[in-house]
Amino acid sequence: MDFNRVNGLRGEVEVPGDKSISHRSVMFGSIAKGITEIDNFLMGADCLSTIACFRKMGVDIDIKDNGSVIVKGNGLHGLKEPGGMLDTGNSGTTTRLISGILAGQSFTTTLNGDESIQKRPMKRIITPLSMMNANITSIKGNDCAPLKIEPAKLKGISYNSPVASAQVKSAILLAGLYAEGETKVIEPELSRNHTELMLKGFGANVSSVDKTATIYPASELNSQHITVPGDISSAVYFVVAGLITPNSEITIKNVGLNPTRDGIIEVVKNMGGSIEISNEHSTGGEKVGDITVKTSNLKGTTIGGSVIPRLIDELPTMALLACYADGDTNIKDAAELKVKESDRISVMVENLSKMGANVEGTEDGMIIHGPCPLKGATIDPKKDHRIAMTFAIASANASGTTTIIDADCVNISYPTFYEDYKKLMV
Ligand code: S3P
């Protein structure tokens, strides 16, 4: 798909529902008692993989024409043995969180996903779940999917996680619902806390203090009505496009602003960008608001430490932003980027360099020597949705034509992305 420089980006846009919250609403609704209604559910391929997995385990899940999802929960012990392998597609969240639930079931499951999933590290969940007595193995013995999970009697653990990963934390907490005694996860930095917030809403005995989350076994969860906020990880493309493109002012409505996810606001402010939040309110314990950005003069910054888990999925787009800032931007403490849907350090460095950026990859991030105005190029995002969207908006203020290969990979998290982007063009 081809993109050219634009004369400005102006107007309002509403991004689709949050991916992390959409996944969790179906998972928790499936193991709750009663009917969970989910509004503004993200109909991206990843979240549809989660729906397909739970349908295969006997949960009645109805997708309405208005975009709502109705989950008729089977209760904590009501999932059925699936007839065959569960397919988690491209979704790390589905693969890792569902493993925590499956570890506590009385039937055997096998699960697998696409080529990218089969390369992503699963040892990070196999180790703590095994400490809980789970019977979970990597079928090929390479610590990756496909995984086999057999019945086991789980016990609670106190786990010092070596990574700040909400997927790891959530897998352990979900297994903790089925375990004997208390389960604790202590993180090196606090990762997104949607599991803790939502499970509390479903009636679980879960609490968190600083970087420690604690859960106790449940006898049942109670169904909920959930309104999913817009995804800040999808809003970031318009935030950055508005900041780097002359003659731009964009408002992104109803964006989730959970403090464990709002790192981009802090970074954009540090870089001198014009970013304002309005209409703040909250839904289901999640903070929501509108974000307005305008074309800005930017300066380089350092992005590292505890902010990293708060913007981990937005870092590729922050690297693009840094190309339009005066001075160096140093992204560090972000080695996790290497094990996302693609190796996001090498894929960003390769493609930004093709567009003329002065960028170096490091062991745990990137250094961008700005400003480095960009020129169009042919971009291979390696089927990584977030890289494809980042380079689509990189075209907004780049000379010449930018061509994105496999542009439809955005369906993973934002199926209407290109239409929404085009609507903002003046
Ligand atoms: C997610 C957690 C993050 C994030 C991913 C979604 C979640 O992954 O990158 O897109 O929904 O819990 P990690 O937990 O591996 O950091």
Side-chain angles (χ1 to χ4, degrees):
M1 197 180 282
D2 287 352
F3 298 88
N4 289 303
R5 175 171 256 156
V6 300
N7 295 321
L9 295 164
R10 304 189 77 86
E12 285 185 358
V13 58
E14 193 149 355
V15 294
D18 186 275
K19 184 153 79 70
S20 295
I21 296 176
S22 295
H23 279 299
R24 286 160 172 79
S25 59
V26 165
M27 291 184 184
F28 305 170
S30 293
I31 56 169
K33 224 172 85 183
I35 294 178
T36 289
E37 190 172 342
I38 310 157
D39 296 327
N40 200 36
F41 183 83
L42 169 63
M43 297 295 168
D46 268 11
C47 298
L48 295 176
S49 292
T50 292
I51 289 185
C53 287
F54 282 93
R55 279 180 172 159
K56 220 168 167 176
M57 290 190 287
V59 184
D60 182 346
I61 304 173
D62 193 15
I63 301 176
K64 299 274 179 211
D65 291 340
N66 65 2
S68 292
V69 171
I70 312 288
V71 183
K72 293 189 184 126
N74 283 24
L76 204 58
H77 300 280
L79 295 178
K80 307 268 182 317
E81 180 163 4
M85 180 123 29
L86 294 178
D87 181 0
T88 60
N90 187 248
S91 175
T93 307
T94 312
T95 310
R96 296 198 179 108
L97 269 62
I98 214 171
S99 295
I101 295 175
L102 297 176
Q105 304 306 310
S106 55
F107 51 82
T108 297
T109 31
T110 49
L111 64 155
N112 201 4
D114 68 7
E115 223 181 290
S116 153
I117 274 295
Q118 290 178 45
K119 288 192 202 127
R120 297 185 66 185
M122 292 298 150
K123 190 166 183 181
R124 53 181 60 199
I125 57 159
I126 294 175
T127 299
L129 292 176
S130 302
M131 285 164 69
M132 296 178 81
N133 270 346
N135 210 337
I136 172 169
T137 44
S138 158
I139 291 173
K140 291 185 178 160
N142 59 356
D143 290 328
C144 295
L147 300 174
K148 182 177 189 183
I149 303 173
E150 292 166 277
K153 195 168 160 23
L154 303 182
K155 63 170 193 324
I157 54 167
S158 176
Y159 187 64
N160 276 294
S161 179
V163 276
S165 159
Q167 294 180 359
V168 171
K169 172 172 65 178
S170 303
I172 300 167
L173 293 177
L174 287 166
L177 284 174
Y178 296 93
E180 202 183 294
E182 178 189 84
T183 298
K184 245 186 213 310
V185 186
I186 304 124
E187 297 193 278
E189 298 290 356
L190 184 63
S191 68
R192 65 192 66 191
N193 63 0
H194 305 301
T195 295
E196 297 90 304
L197 292 178
M198 199 188 289
L199 274 181
K200 197 172 216 147
F202 275 83
N205 184 353
V206 57
S207 60
S208 47
V209 180
D210 299 326
K211 296 170 195 165
T212 302
T214 309
I215 198 163
Y216 292 90
S219 47
E220 274 306 348
L221 300 178
N222 308 314
S223 57
Q224 294 293 295
H225 186 157
I226 292 163
T227 302
V228 182
D231 197 333
I232 194 165
S233 300
S234 298
V236 69
Y237 308 108
F238 301 122
V239 167
V240 169
L243 292 166
I244 66 171
T245 311
N247 181 33
S248 297
E249 178 167 348
I250 305 173
T251 296
I252 309 127
K253 311 269 293 172
N254 272 320
V255 183
L257 297 170
N258 179 314
T260 62
R261 295 282 300 281
D262 68 354
I264 58 163
I265 315 258
E266 186 180 310
V267 168
V268 168
K269 282 185 180 160
N270 286 344
M271 294 177 80
S274 167
I275 186 162
E276 264 158 43
I277 310 295
S278 55
N279 285 330
E280 276 183 67
H281 58 284
S282 109
T283 168
E286 295 281 354
K287 202 173 134 190
V288 183
D290 299 347
I291 303 177
T292 301
V293 288
K294 288 185 200 156
T295 316
S296 301
N297 291 321
L298 302 160
K299 55 180 193 292
T301 190
T302 296
I303 309 175
S306 61
V307 79
I308 294 295
R310 291 170 51 218
L311 48 48
I312 187 72
D313 291 340
E314 292 74 73
L315 282 172
T317 329
M318 291 291 109
L320 167 66
L321 183 65
C323 293
Y324 288 89
D326 277 325
D328 288 357
T329 293
N330 187 357
I331 299 174
K332 56 180 196 174
D333 307 320
E336 277 294 297
L337 287 177
K338 295 196 244 181
V339 290
K340 293 297 178 187
E341 287 83 328
S342 69
D343 174 345
R344 287 182 175 161
I345 296 179
S346 76
V347 179
M348 281 309 295
V349 169
E350 186 185 320
N351 286 308
L352 278 178
S353 303
K354 273 194 199 164
M355 292 186 80
N358 186 353
V359 54
E360 302 163 50
T362 63
E363 262 313 293
D364 64 350
M366 283 167 261
I367 300 170
I368 300 101
H369 305 285
C372 29
L374 302 179
K375 56 178 197 300
T378 296
I379 302 299
D380 182 357
K382 303 271 158 59
K383 298 202 169 76
D384 184 330
H385 55 128
R386 300 207 189 281
I387 307 277
M389 289 186 271
T390 297
F391 282 95
I393 57 131
S395 70
N397 191 13
S399 61
T401 299
T402 301
T403 303
I404 314 274
I405 298 172
D406 292 329
D408 63 355
C409 64
V410 306
N411 288 336
I412 291 292
S413 65
Y414 196 162
T416 56
F417 172 72
Y418 299 117
E419 289 148 50
D420 288 354
Y421 174 46
K422 280 180 191 150
K423 279 189 208 146
L424 294 170
M425 294 178 188
V426 292

